[in-house]
Amino acid sequence: MTESSKYNRRSILKAGVGLAASAVPAAAMSDPAPVTPANPEGPFYPKHEQVDKDTDLTLIDGHTERAQGQVIRVTGQVLDDEGKPVEGALVDIWQANARGRYHHEDDPATAPEDPNFQGWGMVKTDAEGRYAFTTIKPGAYAVNESWSRPPHIHFKVSRRGFHEITTQMYFAGESLNESDKLLQSVAEDARGLLTVDFQETDGLPHGHFPIVLAKVV
């Protein structure tokens, strides 16, 4: 079964169209913070446990070699819809390797796996709602003959008392963003809120991706 057929079966083009929060510190936010847009989980969320799923996806515990590709740093802050930090939120990320292949048994891609790439990481936010990951920039990959996905990282964020959010983070300046069916399914004025501009900091490309959760009422 192709990735395209799995997308169709799951009806993943029915993405949410809410708005995300900007990277403004919580204390400075006076108006209610708009909730981060949903974007589909896709078919490659990890099925099985793995021993190492810490915040450094570039080095698997027990390995001596690091993952192939451009190392990047992704940070962010999880806020509630009043702009307050959410402590203890579980931030769960997964992604393709530098050649555009997931470490997942259902990925039909012919690109090689990277045995040194972790592919999946989890962390809980601190008292200020902050999280951070070290990973590699994922590669683009073809879904079918007419659609190639741009580099992206999947996020699932949950905390008791809040509605769970599943979304995707995109990289600014990627030409494939303009034709990606999943990014384009988000409301036009919200697409930029899922798109992160990476800037070099301390020798590594660094991107900040804030996430806003809606409280359960």
Side-chain angles (χ1 to χ4, degrees), residues 64-197:
T64 57
E65 294 185 35
R66 289 190 176 270
Q68 300 172 3
Q70 171 65 65
V71 178
I72 61 174
R73 185 77 167 160
V74 180
T75 63
Q77 185 180 32
V78 178
L79 306 170
D80 67 19
D81 45 11
E82 294 179 347
K84 298 176 182 177
V86 178
E87 180 180 5
L90 179 63
V91 181
D92 187 350
I93 72 167
W94 66 101
Q95 64 171 88
N97 65 24
R99 297 188 179 184
R101 179 165 180 166
Y102 289 86
H103 180 60
H104 194 286
E105 55 267 49
D106 292 338
D107 189 352
T110 57
E113 286 198 47
D114 182 350
N116 298 308
F117 180 52
Q118 189 172 296
W120 174 29
M122 305 173 75
V123 70
K124 286 191 174 181
T125 56
D126 67 11
E128 296 302 319
R130 296 171 296 195
Y131 71 87
F133 290 94
T134 301
T135 184
I136 55 92
K137 183 178 180 179
Y141 58 87
V143 177
N144 54 43
E145 292 182 358
S146 61
W147 177 21
S148 289
R149 298 230 57 210
H152 60 280
I153 297 176
H154 296 264
F155 279 74
K156 189 189 294 286
V157 184
S158 58
R159 178 72 164 90
R160 188 177 298 276
F162 297 87
H163 293 285
E164 180 179 281
I165 182 72
T166 299
T167 193
Q168 300 182 35
M169 186 206 80
Y170 298 86
F171 293 73
E174 295 290 329
S175 59
L176 288 173
N177 288 348
E178 302 303 316
S179 58
D180 184 63
K181 294 179 181 180
L182 302 189
L183 179 57
Q184 296 302 312
S185 71
V186 176
E188 185 175 0
D189 58 354
R191 291 171 199 158
L193 299 172
L194 294 183
T195 306
V196 175
D197 185 13

